[in-house]
Amino acid sequence: MPPPPSTAVADAVVEILKNVSRRPIEPTPASDLIADLGFDSLQVMETVAELEDRFGLSIPAEDVPAARTVAQVTARVEALLQARRLS
Amino acid sequence: MTAPLRTLPAALDDAARTGEGFVFVSGTTERRRSYAELQDASRRFARLLLARGLRRGDLVALVVSDSDQFLTALLGASIAGMVPASLYPPATTTEFAHYLSATAGTLRSSGARAIVTSGSFAAAIAGLQSSCPDLALVISWDGWQGAADPHSLCPDISLDEVAFVQFTSGSTSEPRGVEITHRSLSANIEAINGPMGLGTSASDAAVSWLPLYHDMGLVGMALGAMYAGRPAVLMTPATFVKRPVEWLRAISRHRGTVSFAPNFAYDLCVRRVKERELEGLDLSCWRVAGCGGEPIHAATLSAFARKFAPVGFRETSFLPSYGLAEHVLAATFPPRGRAVRVAHLPGHLDIVSCGSPLPDHQLRIVNEEGLDVGERCTGEITLAGPSVMRGYQGAGELTAQTIRNGWLHTGDLGFLDEGELFVCGRIKDLLVVNGRKYHPQDLEWALDELAGVRRGRAVAFGLSRAGTADRVVIVIEPSGTVDGAALAHAIRQRVSETCGVYVDEIVPVPTGTIGRTTSGKVQRIATRLQYERGELRSR
């Protein structure tokens, strides 16, 4: 399977965030998951599980607190995909 | 008929002879630890504590996320005659700096002599020593070696000594350490396991994903199984929260018979377990599906039962219960194997019966004068009997306010119907989001230094909602001419960093709207009532 281009990753992240949120949200790259999108810790973990399923990744628990904005989440997923391609 | 009461070390002694033990589950890995192995490790840890100069009765704080390490440290401190005290570990959504300052406050006010910690935050916790004068020792689990010195153990601990202290919330404003004696712990566990509770027998196995720094996970699941000499499968909370189906898979795989969780866990399974994940599950072994720790919603339980009936779940397995850390854990249970009993009150959600008081325990519903109210009349739930805590550690005045003439005033509201308890709210103005309690004062204090909010003019409160977390509302008096949307963003950011909770609604009101008590405290309840009546005028 060819690696998805990064806009595809960004689009998928936004789609997953919209599904996980139970509020009508319009995430932008700068949106903070907790402060702006209203995610609680359970929804953050649900997002992680959905990202793992979508991209076939294993996202380490230590990565979770570090990524607070949509852009940071996207970058983290891209880095993990990149690492997988190189390994 | 009633089992003799036992201290923690005595119960571990008995359990070590059974051949049973814990299974620790994290992600996809499982590790078995027999009670005999746990006892051996705990004894080595006890010797280490003694070798490092700690003495009988010293408070040993635990901030340990690994379940095996946590239980070894807890039991080790107990064997050494010390008092283990569990603290909250950092939450993923809270800024670590705020967590550290809250933890330092708890360590100072509790007079903890040692702290046991592990993992990535061990180094940061170690840095707290300079600001905590009583804290003589920081033990990082990762560097721990068993002490060789043959310090003598088992210093003949009495049932009336404190078995552990449990800090009931991560609050910075009011850290409260609940002191539980061995006598109370044992009495509550025997009542839980007894015929009027779970009816635990030699064929039972517990499965839990609950955190061990919380009473339901520690007492109800881990220690409850250990006192009964039965196995318990303990999964990390993160494993469950990431993939709720893992809880059900563990029950199915280990043929679990007893598992407790708060309402939100059942709700998560309803919403997040996918149809394809049902394949291979067999929940027909699950005879007690306990629910407690936060308001229980009848609709959540019936949705769970509908969804998982095809894989063998029985609705009569539900055991809604009422309890609190100040009463060790459990206070009431309904009869097992019965359909969930629901009261329909006009203007309320359906309320679930939590059953009757445990044997040898008493419950009264009282009004503000402390007098009994009649059946079906709402009042404060008060409890008496062997499970009432000794008190809040180092807080005599608060203890005297809470335990009056032997009756524990829970701050929870409820009524009795045919002798069964229905819980319908709180007097204490705590916020409850996903089973975690937040003090409104913490949210208010977080805004003290925020530009655009008049200092000390913020009021936070929670509104109960059907089947989900409290709706968190903050009423503020803005200062100056800060843009409304920017201010709302700044408030949400600050509160989420400090307290780890999302603010659902921010209500700016004109200067002078928020009342003060004579002692200068904000009038939280009055403000909430004004909000609920629609009397708050937006600025």
Side-chain angles (χ1 to χ4, degrees), chain B residues 231-371:
Chain B
V233 177
L234 304 178
M235 166 180 286
T236 62
T239 303
F240 164 74
V241 172
K242 192 163 162 188
R243 295 185 189 276
V245 72
E246 292 302 329
W247 174 33
L248 309 180
R249 282 185 181 147
I251 291 170
S252 178
R253 185 167 70 241
H254 291 277
R255 306 317 292 151
T257 60
V258 176
S259 193
F260 269 75
N263 190 84
F264 84 83
Y266 291 97
D267 184 51
L268 272 191
C269 288
V270 170
R271 291 193 293 104
R272 290 188 47 200
V273 175
K274 295 165 183 161
E275 281 304 312
R276 60 180 158 78
E277 292 177 322
L278 294 179
E279 202 176 312
L281 281 183
D282 174 8
L283 301 180
S284 60
C285 49
W286 194 359
R287 69 174 188 87
V288 177
C291 191
E294 64 177 0
I296 303 166
H297 297 289
T300 302
L301 300 188
S302 46
F304 183 93
R306 267 197 310 280
K307 176 161 183 164
F308 295 100
V311 291
F313 184 79
R314 294 181 302 282
E315 190 160 13
T316 52
S317 294
F318 278 129
L319 198 70
S321 59
Y322 171 71
L324 64 165
E326 286 85 342
H327 194 261
V328 186
L329 170 63
T332 67
F333 282 121
R336 291 189 310 279
R338 186 184 78 170
V340 172
R341 192 179 152 206
V342 175
H344 310 276
L345 262 73
H348 276 82
L349 298 167
D350 285 354
I351 302 177
V352 171
S353 167
C354 289
S356 318
L358 299 169
D360 305 321
H361 292 68
Q362 295 87 46
L363 184 154
R364 290 168 60 208
I365 305 288
V366 301
N367 62 17
E368 280 165 14
E369 283 80 52
L371 303 172

Side-chain angles (χ1 to χ4, degrees), chain A residues 22-23 32 34-42 44-46 48-50 52-53 59 64-65 68, chain B residues 92-93 95 238 241-243 264 268 271-272 274 276 433-434 465 468 489 492-493 496-497 502 504:
Chain A
R22 276 162 285 154
R23 301 181 172 85
D32 182 302
I34 295 155
D36 296 323
L37 304 182
F39 276 43
D40 59 28
S41 57
L42 301 181
V44 170
M45 291 301 276
E46 181 175 355
V48 171
E50 292 295 325
E52 288 188 344
D53 288 352
I59 300 174
V64 176
R68 289 191 61 109
Chain B
T92 47
T93 51
E95 282 290 299
V241 172
K242 192 163 162 188
R243 295 185 189 276
F264 84 83
L268 272 191
R271 291 193 293 104
R272 290 188 47 200
K274 295 165 183 161
R276 60 180 158 78
V433 181
N434 298 325
R465 302 187 285 192
T468 179
H489 176 83
R492 288 202 167 97
Q493 184 102 36
S496 101
E497 284 173 3
Y502 178 76
D504 291 280

